[in-house]
Each structure stands twice: as structure tokens, then as C-alpha cells.
């Protein structure tokens, strides 16, 4: 059985319709994997993170937490709320990655940007320096690349994939209602 929602065809038998909590669990794991990859890059390959790099780690951890709650709690309203929050966080992640790529990477200093202020206000950098300590400027961090693309571009693409996945869960849910 299929339905069309906002121009997209959603199959009721799709994984997004049948296992939305399972997809949320996968989102949580992928988000934790992104943070793990960032930590390996930092601590093994000595790639120094800037405030926007760390800010995106925080967003990935928030996505993992929210998606994990959506997976653990067996409640349709919680699954829905978790999916909506995951989508909002992932869209914020896209915005931060775009800002890092387009603006912050061109600036010698990231001081007083939203990411820098967030880290200062929350105290994350001093509480968990292994995870949240800033050791580079945005311009320095922009020099790190993987397959010709900056890490912020890869991060933005992963946030986009998470956003699309959340939209598919929501679309499958809406298709079931109608």
C-alpha cells in the first residue's frame, strides 16, 4: 500500500512506517559514530577542532540523545516528538556547517561567534576537555579535508541525511493517518 505526501510516495511497508523507533535508533548510532570519528580525527590524527567543530559535536550528541529517547520509549507521541526534535536539530546542524564553511572558515578568529559563546556559557570546554576543548581557529580547522572536502562539508551532508530520514519517518506516519 502506498500514499503520496507532499509529492513524495511513501510505502506503508517501508522501514520508516514499520520501524520508526528502529530508524531513530540508527540515527542515534550514526550521530554517536560521527562524534567518535571526530574524536579519532582529533586525538589520533591530531586534527584540531574549532568552536564550530565542537558546536556540531554538541548537536550530534543532542540528536543521539533525542533519537535514543524516541527509540527507548514505546509511545507514538514520544516517537513523533523525538522525530520532530531530531529534524529541528539536524536543520540547525546544517545551518552551523554552512556557516562554518561560508563564514567562519574565512575568519582568523572564531571568538565571539555563536559557537564560541555557547561553549563559554555552558562551560563544556572545561567540564569535558577531551570531548569539547577548542584547539584551533576556524581558519586552521578549514585546512583539514577528506576526499577533497572539508570536514564541515561532510558534517553538513550527514546532517542533511539525518534531516531527510526524519522527514521520511514523519511522512510515513502522516500517510498512515490518512
Amino acid at each position: 500500500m502506498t500514499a503520496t505526501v507532499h509529492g513524495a510516495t511513501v510505502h506503508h511497508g517501508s522501514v520508516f512506517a514499520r520501524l520508526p523507533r528502529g530508524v531513530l535508533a540508527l540515527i542515534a548510532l550514526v550521530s554517536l559514530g560521527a562524534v567518535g570519528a571526530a574524536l579519532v580525527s582529533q586525538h589520533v590524527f591530531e586534527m584540531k577542532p574549532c568552536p564550530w567543530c565542537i558546536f556540531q559535536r554538541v548537536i550530534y550528541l543532542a540528536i543521539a540523545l533525542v533519537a535514543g529517547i524516541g527509540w527507548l520509549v514505546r509511545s507514538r507521541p514520544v516517537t513523533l516528538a523525538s522525530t520532530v526534535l531530531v529534524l529541528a536539530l539536524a536543520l540547525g546542524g546544517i545551518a552551523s556547517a554552512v556557516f562554518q564553511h561560508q563564514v567562519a572558515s574565512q575568519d582568523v578568529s572564531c571568538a565571539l561567534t555563536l559557537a564560541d559563546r555557547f561553549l563559554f556559557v555552558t562551560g563544556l570546554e572545561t567540564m569535558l576537555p577531551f570531548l569539547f576543548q577548542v584547539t584551533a581557529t576556524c581558519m586552521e580547522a578549514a585546512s583539514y579535508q577528506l576526499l577533497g572536502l572539508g570536514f564541515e562539508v561532510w558534517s553538513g551532508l550527514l546532517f542533511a541525511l539525518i534531516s531527510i530520514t526524519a522527514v521520511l519517518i514523519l511522512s510515513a506516519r502522516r500517510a498512515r493517518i490518512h
Side-chain angles (χ1 to χ4, degrees):
M1 181 179 218
T2 63
T4 302
V5 179
H6 301 295
T9 302
V10 179
H11 300 277
H12 292 291
S14 75
V15 69
F16 303 103
R18 288 183 293 113
L19 300 170
R21 290 178 49 249
V23 176
L24 285 172
L26 182 61
I27 289 172
L29 289 173
V30 166
S31 296
L32 291 174
V35 174
L39 289 172
V40 168
S41 296
Q42 177 183 352
H43 296 291
V44 175
F45 297 108
E46 299 180 9
M47 300 170 115
K48 299 176 182 178
C50 71
W52 286 97
C53 301
I54 300 297
F55 189 66
Q56 288 171 52
R57 286 184 195 180
V58 172
I59 294 172
Y60 281 119
L61 290 171
I63 289 172
L65 176 67
V66 170
I69 290 169
W71 170 65
L72 287 171
V73 178
R74 293 181 176 264
S75 162
R76 284 187 182 188
V78 171
T79 300
L80 174 62
S82 295
T83 305
V84 170
L85 283 172
V86 163
L87 177 58
L89 287 164
L91 291 173
I94 292 169
S96 70
V98 168
F99 182 84
Q100 180 182 358
H101 183 71
Q102 295 294 328
V103 179
S105 65
Q106 309 304 313
D107 197 358
V108 175
S109 172
C110 303
L112 303 178
T113 63
L114 172 68
D116 187 55
R117 290 178 183 176
F118 173 83
L119 293 172
F120 177 76
V121 168
T122 60
L124 288 173
E125 191 172 10
T126 54
M127 281 190 294
L128 295 168
F130 177 80
L131 186 58
F132 298 119
Q133 186 174 28
V134 174
T135 56
T137 67
C138 293
M139 189 176 275
E140 290 171 327
S143 68
Y144 301 122
Q145 294 193 345
L146 177 66
L147 301 175
L149 295 176
F151 276 76
E152 75 280 2
V153 174
W154 288 108
S155 182
L157 291 171
L158 184 55
F159 282 127
L161 181 62
I162 291 169
S163 297
I164 291 166
T165 304
V167 166
L168 289 171
I169 293 170
L170 294 171
S171 295
R173 185 180 190 285
R174 184 171 177 173
R176 273 191 298 179
I177 294 171
H178 290 90

